[in-house]
Amino acid sequence: MSTDPATELLPPLVEEGFIHLYAAETAAQIPAAALADFAALAASWDGMARDQHMADGGRYRRRRHAVLSARAGTPGLVREADAPHFQAVDHNPLNGGVQRHFEAIPPAITQGAAFAGLAEWARQAFDRADPGRDWHVEAHQFRIEAAPDSVGRPTPEGMHRDGVDWVLVLLIRRENVDEGVTEIAAPEGRRLGAFTLTDPLDAVLLDDRRILHGVTPVTPHDPARPAWRDVLVLTFKRRG
């Protein structure tokens, strides 16, 4: 890990509101222990329950959730009691406005070296851009599945904000899928960027107050084989 990995992320986060990192760039900044444990973290996406809160009736999303916190000046994140996830309708017109309960991420995962290293790396970056904050952090494991007769929709709500302050989206794995383009826009809709997270550890960090984001649907590359896209999303919201 570099002496201050957040330093390289600060200018684009502050000036542009987002930064897209390729896997090699992420790997160069996170702790060696996180890299060594990454395969075990990725395996934890298998066996997740389906998201039962899809207002479009879709059965293409599997999901787990955890709540954590971070205190200004204190390294590391603390696992908090499980709690429902809530977004206002303004931020999520499809599934917002209700308390959504998801399967909890097992504590062994959030305590593992990969998750802890990635979360602390993101926290350092957001601390540099927005210093002196206590954070309410929510972690989401997403698996979006695609089939020949059913596309998978990573963001069925369309271009959106999450209703927080800062967001990390990190690719865990793509298996036999095409498309899934991440699109970035200004609040008025002006397009600022588009790219595809293709390799494990490809990532985007963004200022949710200034940036809209969305991902195009994924489709199977080979219709005869299972197809899915796994991501880790960490959201950071100021406490108090």
PDB file of all heavy atoms in Angstrom, residues 134-153:
ATOM      1  N   ASP A 134     -17.699  11.967  10.587  1.00  0.00           N
ATOM      2  CA  ASP A 134     -18.115  10.635  10.997  1.00  0.00           C
ATOM      3  C   ASP A 134     -19.023  10.108   9.888  1.00  0.00           C
ATOM      4  O   ASP A 134     -19.832  10.862   9.318  1.00  0.00           O
ATOM      5  CB  ASP A 134     -18.900  10.672  12.306  1.00  0.00           C
ATOM      6  CG  ASP A 134     -18.041  11.096  13.497  1.00  0.00           C
ATOM      7  OD1 ASP A 134     -16.800  10.992  13.420  1.00  0.00           O
ATOM      8  OD2 ASP A 134     -18.630  11.529  14.504  1.00  0.00           O
ATOM      9  N   TRP A 135     -18.896   8.799   9.589  1.00  0.00           N
ATOM     10  CA  TRP A 135     -19.608   8.245   8.440  1.00  0.00           C
ATOM     11  C   TRP A 135     -20.594   7.162   8.839  1.00  0.00           C
ATOM     12  O   TRP A 135     -20.273   6.298   9.659  1.00  0.00           O
ATOM     13  CB  TRP A 135     -18.633   7.649   7.434  1.00  0.00           C
ATOM     14  CG  TRP A 135     -17.645   8.593   6.830  1.00  0.00           C
ATOM     15  CD1 TRP A 135     -16.304   8.617   7.030  1.00  0.00           C
ATOM     16  CD2 TRP A 135     -17.926   9.644   5.899  1.00  0.00           C
ATOM     17  NE1 TRP A 135     -15.720   9.615   6.291  1.00  0.00           N
ATOM     18  CE2 TRP A 135     -16.703  10.268   5.585  1.00  0.00           C
ATOM     19  CE3 TRP A 135     -19.090  10.124   5.305  1.00  0.00           C
ATOM     20  CZ2 TRP A 135     -16.606  11.328   4.704  1.00  0.00           C
ATOM     21  CZ3 TRP A 135     -19.005  11.189   4.424  1.00  0.00           C
ATOM     22  CH2 TRP A 135     -17.771  11.787   4.138  1.00  0.00           C
ATOM     23  N   HIS A 136     -21.765   7.208   8.233  1.00  0.00           N
ATOM     24  CA  HIS A 136     -22.688   6.074   8.189  1.00  0.00           C
ATOM     25  C   HIS A 136     -22.426   5.368   6.867  1.00  0.00           C
ATOM     26  O   HIS A 136     -22.529   5.981   5.796  1.00  0.00           O
ATOM     27  CB  HIS A 136     -24.145   6.562   8.255  1.00  0.00           C
ATOM     28  CG  HIS A 136     -25.151   5.485   8.010  1.00  0.00           C
ATOM     29  ND1 HIS A 136     -25.610   4.653   9.008  1.00  0.00           N
ATOM     30  CD2 HIS A 136     -25.787   5.100   6.878  1.00  0.00           C
ATOM     31  CE1 HIS A 136     -26.494   3.801   8.502  1.00  0.00           C
ATOM     32  NE2 HIS A 136     -26.618   4.052   7.203  1.00  0.00           N
ATOM     33  N   VAL A 137     -22.066   4.105   6.948  1.00  0.00           N
ATOM     34  CA  VAL A 137     -21.642   3.358   5.759  1.00  0.00           C
ATOM     35  C   VAL A 137     -22.590   2.185   5.547  1.00  0.00           C
ATOM     36  O   VAL A 137     -22.940   1.474   6.491  1.00  0.00           O
ATOM     37  CB  VAL A 137     -20.201   2.840   5.926  1.00  0.00           C
ATOM     38  CG1 VAL A 137     -19.742   2.097   4.669  1.00  0.00           C
ATOM     39  CG2 VAL A 137     -19.250   3.997   6.240  1.00  0.00           C
ATOM     40  N   GLU A 138     -23.024   2.001   4.306  1.00  0.00           N
ATOM     41  CA  GLU A 138     -23.808   0.819   3.959  1.00  0.00           C
ATOM     42  C   GLU A 138     -23.075   0.062   2.873  1.00  0.00           C
ATOM     43  O   GLU A 138     -22.546   0.652   1.922  1.00  0.00           O
ATOM     44  CB  GLU A 138     -25.221   1.192   3.524  1.00  0.00           C
ATOM     45  CG  GLU A 138     -26.017   1.827   4.654  1.00  0.00           C
ATOM     46  CD  GLU A 138     -27.500   1.947   4.364  1.00  0.00           C
ATOM     47  OE1 GLU A 138     -28.064   1.033   3.717  1.00  0.00           O
ATOM     48  OE2 GLU A 138     -28.102   2.951   4.803  1.00  0.00           O
ATOM     49  N   ALA A 139     -23.020  -1.255   3.050  1.00  0.00           N
ATOM     50  CA  ALA A 139     -22.359  -2.154   2.099  1.00  0.00           C
ATOM     51  C   ALA A 139     -23.413  -3.000   1.414  1.00  0.00           C
ATOM     52  O   ALA A 139     -24.340  -3.504   2.062  1.00  0.00           O
ATOM     53  CB  ALA A 139     -21.347  -3.045   2.815  1.00  0.00           C
ATOM     54  N   HIS A 140     -23.262  -3.162   0.106  1.00  0.00           N
ATOM     55  CA  HIS A 140     -24.206  -3.942  -0.686  1.00  0.00           C
ATOM     56  C   HIS A 140     -23.443  -4.915  -1.571  1.00  0.00           C
ATOM     57  O   HIS A 140     -22.560  -4.495  -2.341  1.00  0.00           O
ATOM     58  CB  HIS A 140     -25.050  -3.035  -1.584  1.00  0.00           C
ATOM     59  CG  HIS A 140     -25.769  -1.934  -0.861  1.00  0.00           C
ATOM     60  ND1 HIS A 140     -27.076  -2.040  -0.436  1.00  0.00           N
ATOM     61  CD2 HIS A 140     -25.350  -0.695  -0.482  1.00  0.00           C
ATOM     62  CE1 HIS A 140     -27.441  -0.919   0.161  1.00  0.00           C
ATOM     63  NE2 HIS A 140     -26.408  -0.086   0.150  1.00  0.00           N
ATOM     64  N   GLN A 141     -23.768  -6.176  -1.464  1.00  0.00           N
ATOM     65  CA  GLN A 141     -23.308  -7.176  -2.423  1.00  0.00           C
ATOM     66  C   GLN A 141     -24.432  -7.367  -3.437  1.00  0.00           C
ATOM     67  O   GLN A 141     -25.549  -7.745  -3.073  1.00  0.00           O
ATOM     68  CB  GLN A 141     -23.024  -8.509  -1.735  1.00  0.00           C
ATOM     69  CG  GLN A 141     -21.810  -8.531  -0.827  1.00  0.00           C
ATOM     70  CD  GLN A 141     -21.613  -9.919  -0.221  1.00  0.00           C
ATOM     71  OE1 GLN A 141     -22.425 -10.359   0.592  1.00  0.00           O
ATOM     72  NE2 GLN A 141     -20.544 -10.591  -0.597  1.00  0.00           N
ATOM     73  N   PHE A 142     -24.140  -7.114  -4.712  1.00  0.00           N
ATOM     74  CA  PHE A 142     -25.127  -7.279  -5.778  1.00  0.00           C
ATOM     75  C   PHE A 142     -24.670  -8.365  -6.755  1.00  0.00           C
ATOM     76  O   PHE A 142     -23.507  -8.360  -7.189  1.00  0.00           O
ATOM     77  CB  PHE A 142     -25.282  -5.991  -6.588  1.00  0.00           C
ATOM     78  CG  PHE A 142     -25.990  -4.873  -5.893  1.00  0.00           C
ATOM     79  CD1 PHE A 142     -25.277  -3.797  -5.407  1.00  0.00           C
ATOM     80  CD2 PHE A 142     -27.366  -4.873  -5.749  1.00  0.00           C
ATOM     81  CE1 PHE A 142     -25.915  -2.736  -4.785  1.00  0.00           C
ATOM     82  CE2 PHE A 142     -28.022  -3.823  -5.127  1.00  0.00           C
ATOM     83  CZ  PHE A 142     -27.293  -2.748  -4.651  1.00  0.00           C
ATOM     84  N   ARG A 143     -25.561  -9.242  -7.118  1.00  0.00           N
ATOM     85  CA  ARG A 143     -25.372 -10.111  -8.279  1.00  0.00           C
ATOM     86  C   ARG A 143     -26.549  -9.877  -9.221  1.00  0.00           C
ATOM     87  O   ARG A 143     -27.705 -10.046  -8.842  1.00  0.00           O
ATOM     88  CB  ARG A 143     -25.303 -11.587  -7.899  1.00  0.00           C
ATOM     89  CG  ARG A 143     -25.350 -12.518  -9.128  1.00  0.00           C
ATOM     90  CD  ARG A 143     -24.943 -13.944  -8.821  1.00  0.00           C
ATOM     91  NE  ARG A 143     -23.495 -14.013  -8.607  1.00  0.00           N
ATOM     92  CZ  ARG A 143     -22.835 -15.157  -8.392  1.00  0.00           C
ATOM     93  NH1 ARG A 143     -23.502 -16.308  -8.343  1.00  0.00           N
ATOM     94  NH2 ARG A 143     -21.524 -15.137  -8.211  1.00  0.00           N
ATOM     95  N   ILE A 144     -26.242  -9.464 -10.451  1.00  0.00           N
ATOM     96  CA  ILE A 144     -27.245  -9.252 -11.483  1.00  0.00           C
ATOM     97  C   ILE A 144     -27.128 -10.383 -12.495  1.00  0.00           C
ATOM     98  O   ILE A 144     -26.074 -10.566 -13.117  1.00  0.00           O
ATOM     99  CB  ILE A 144     -27.060  -7.887 -12.184  1.00  0.00           C
ATOM    100  CG1 ILE A 144     -27.089  -6.745 -11.165  1.00  0.00           C
ATOM    101  CG2 ILE A 144     -28.133  -7.701 -13.257  1.00  0.00           C
ATOM    102  CD1 ILE A 144     -28.373  -6.627 -10.387  1.00  0.00           C
ATOM    103  N   GLU A 145     -28.200 -11.135 -12.648  1.00  0.00           N
ATOM    104  CA  GLU A 145     -28.202 -12.301 -13.522  1.00  0.00           C
ATOM    105  C   GLU A 145     -28.921 -11.980 -14.829  1.00  0.00           C
ATOM    106  O   GLU A 145     -29.891 -11.217 -14.848  1.00  0.00           O
ATOM    107  CB  GLU A 145     -28.884 -13.477 -12.818  1.00  0.00           C
ATOM    108  CG  GLU A 145     -28.156 -13.893 -11.553  1.00  0.00           C
ATOM    109  CD  GLU A 145     -28.892 -14.932 -10.729  1.00  0.00           C
ATOM    110  OE1 GLU A 145     -30.150 -14.943 -10.766  1.00  0.00           O
ATOM    111  OE2 GLU A 145     -28.213 -15.733 -10.058  1.00  0.00           O
ATOM    112  N   ALA A 146     -28.447 -12.573 -15.908  1.00  0.00           N
ATOM    113  CA  ALA A 146     -29.053 -12.382 -17.223  1.00  0.00           C
ATOM    114  C   ALA A 146     -29.350 -13.747 -17.842  1.00  0.00           C
ATOM    115  O   ALA A 146     -28.640 -14.722 -17.580  1.00  0.00           O
ATOM    116  CB  ALA A 146     -28.129 -11.587 -18.140  1.00  0.00           C
ATOM    117  N   ALA A 147     -30.399 -13.798 -18.637  1.00  0.00           N
ATOM    118  CA  ALA A 147     -30.797 -15.027 -19.311  1.00  0.00           C
ATOM    119  C   ALA A 147     -31.200 -14.684 -20.743  1.00  0.00           C
ATOM    120  O   ALA A 147     -31.436 -13.509 -21.060  1.00  0.00           O
ATOM    121  CB  ALA A 147     -31.955 -15.687 -18.564  1.00  0.00           C
ATOM    122  N   PRO A 148     -31.284 -15.687 -21.624  1.00  0.00           N
ATOM    123  CA  PRO A 148     -31.632 -15.391 -23.018  1.00  0.00           C
ATOM    124  C   PRO A 148     -32.945 -14.636 -23.170  1.00  0.00           C
ATOM    125  O   PRO A 148     -33.096 -13.808 -24.072  1.00  0.00           O
ATOM    126  CB  PRO A 148     -31.709 -16.785 -23.657  1.00  0.00           C
ATOM    127  CG  PRO A 148     -30.822 -17.633 -22.820  1.00  0.00           C
ATOM    128  CD  PRO A 148     -30.964 -17.112 -21.417  1.00  0.00           C
ATOM    129  N   ASP A 149     -33.899 -14.902 -22.278  1.00  0.00           N
ATOM    130  CA  ASP A 149     -35.204 -14.256 -22.377  1.00  0.00           C
ATOM    131  C   ASP A 149     -35.404 -13.163 -21.337  1.00  0.00           C
ATOM    132  O   ASP A 149     -36.510 -12.653 -21.164  1.00  0.00           O
ATOM    133  CB  ASP A 149     -36.318 -15.297 -22.239  1.00  0.00           C
ATOM    134  CG  ASP A 149     -36.259 -16.043 -20.906  1.00  0.00           C
ATOM    135  OD1 ASP A 149     -35.238 -15.905 -20.202  1.00  0.00           O
ATOM    136  OD2 ASP A 149     -37.218 -16.751 -20.579  1.00  0.00           O
ATOM    137  N   SER A 150     -34.327 -12.778 -20.625  1.00  0.00           N
ATOM    138  CA  SER A 150     -34.461 -11.790 -19.559  1.00  0.00           C
ATOM    139  C   SER A 150     -33.135 -11.089 -19.313  1.00  0.00           C
ATOM    140  O   SER A 150     -32.187 -11.712 -18.830  1.00  0.00           O
ATOM    141  CB  SER A 150     -34.938 -12.473 -18.267  1.00  0.00           C
ATOM    142  OG  SER A 150     -34.976 -11.561 -17.202  1.00  0.00           O
ATOM    143  N   VAL A 151     -33.078  -9.794 -19.644  1.00  0.00           N
ATOM    144  CA  VAL A 151     -31.854  -9.044 -19.372  1.00  0.00           C
ATOM    145  C   VAL A 151     -31.739  -8.813 -17.872  1.00  0.00           C
ATOM    146  O   VAL A 151     -32.722  -8.869 -17.125  1.00  0.00           O
ATOM    147  CB  VAL A 151     -31.835  -7.692 -20.112  1.00  0.00           C
ATOM    148  CG1 VAL A 151     -31.918  -7.907 -21.613  1.00  0.00           C
ATOM    149  CG2 VAL A 151     -32.947  -6.778 -19.629  1.00  0.00           C
ATOM    150  N   GLY A 152     -30.514  -8.567 -17.411  1.00  0.00           N
ATOM    151  CA  GLY A 152     -30.285  -8.181 -16.026  1.00  0.00           C
ATOM    152  C   GLY A 152     -30.086  -6.683 -15.944  1.00  0.00           C
ATOM    153  O   GLY A 152     -29.315  -6.114 -16.730  1.00  0.00           O
ATOM    154  N   ARG A 153     -30.738  -6.035 -14.991  1.00  0.00           N
ATOM    155  CA  ARG A 153     -30.699  -4.572 -14.892  1.00  0.00           C
ATOM    156  C   ARG A 153     -29.969  -4.154 -13.615  1.00  0.00           C
ATOM    157  O   ARG A 153     -30.543  -4.184 -12.531  1.00  0.00           O
ATOM    158  CB  ARG A 153     -32.117  -4.012 -14.914  1.00  0.00           C
ATOM    159  CG  ARG A 153     -32.909  -4.401 -16.155  1.00  0.00           C
ATOM    160  CD  ARG A 153     -34.312  -3.784 -16.168  1.00  0.00           C
ATOM    161  NE  ARG A 153     -35.093  -4.276 -17.274  1.00  0.00           N
ATOM    162  CZ  ARG A 153     -35.023  -3.821 -18.515  1.00  0.00           C
ATOM    163  NH1 ARG A 153     -34.188  -2.820 -18.792  1.00  0.00           N
ATOM    164  NH2 ARG A 153     -35.765  -4.333 -19.467  1.00  0.00           N
TER     165      ARG A 153
END
